């Protein structure tokens, strides 16, 4: 089984690009995708958001299932980068599929980026869709 981690945020357009990429991989019946939503630490209280409360995550899961991909639905809470990297390690993911934002070079430096943080925090392949 080819393990793919698909961490999504609440942006449905970015999530759709992630789903399209995974669904376009050859041999979808041999792919297991874990769609992950991480409730950011600053929003996290007693428990992470339920998967079904995150429209973008549900849409990705449904798109992938329709394409024949086996899907695991997961949520977590805390530091986004840490949770994504830990989940990828736990799954022994073959790749992480991140949704990229279009930012200028200066904005990346000033604002930071979860995608950049994940790339620098793991030695697993990271695909950035946009």
């Amino acid at each position: 089984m080819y393990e793919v981690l698909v961490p999504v945020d609440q942006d449905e357009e970015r999530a759709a690009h992630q789903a399209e990429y995974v669904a376009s991989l050859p041999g979808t019946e041999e792919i297991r995708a874990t769609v992950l939503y991480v409730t950011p630490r600053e929003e996290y209280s007693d428990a992470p958001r339920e998967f079904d409360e995150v429209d973008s995550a549900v849409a990705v899961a449904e798109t992938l299932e329709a394409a024949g991909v086996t899907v695991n639905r997961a949520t977590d809470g805390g530091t986004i980068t840490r949770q994504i990297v830990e989940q990828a390690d736990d799954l022994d993911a073959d790749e992480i599929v991140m949704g990229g934002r279009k930012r200028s070079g200066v904005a990346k430096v000033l604002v930071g980026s979860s995608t950049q943080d994940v790339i620098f925090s793991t030695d697993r392949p990271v695909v950035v869709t946009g």
Side-chain angles (χ1 to χ4, degrees):
M1 217 24 115
Y2 190 77
E3 294 283 346
V4 179
L5 178 61
V6 187
V8 298
D9 60 15
Q10 294 184 39
D11 187 291
E12 292 185 41
E13 184 177 347
R14 260 194 314 272
H17 290 294
Q18 290 170 269
E20 289 169 14
Y21 168 79
V22 175
S24 74
L25 292 171
T28 54
E29 64 280 349
E30 297 298 320
I31 297 171
R32 182 172 34 228
T34 298
V35 180
L36 172 68
Y37 177 78
V38 178
T39 302
R41 181 181 58 206
E42 55 275 2
E43 296 174 19
Y44 187 83
S45 56
D46 294 331
R49 291 182 69 180
E50 295 292 322
F51 191 92
D52 292 337
E53 295 175 341
V54 183
D55 293 339
S56 58
V58 171
V60 170
E62 290 175 351
T63 298
L64 294 178
E65 288 168 341
V69 174
T70 301
V71 175
N72 295 323
R73 299 167 185 232
T75 59
D76 211 333
T79 305
I80 293 172
T81 300
R82 177 181 296 153
Q83 298 305 336
I84 291 170
V85 171
E86 285 180 5
Q87 186 76 245
D89 290 345
D90 290 347
L91 294 169
D92 194 22
D94 294 294
E95 70 182 76
I96 303 168
V97 179
M98 301 287 296
R101 294 181 180 169
K102 294 178 181 159
R103 294 183 178 163
S104 69
V106 173
K108 287 180 186 176
V109 171
L110 297 176
V111 177
S113 167
S114 295
T115 300
Q116 268 187 321
D117 290 345
V118 169
I119 290 168
F120 293 129
S121 297
T122 186
D123 55 1
R124 298 179 187 283
V126 178
V127 174
V128 181
T129 63

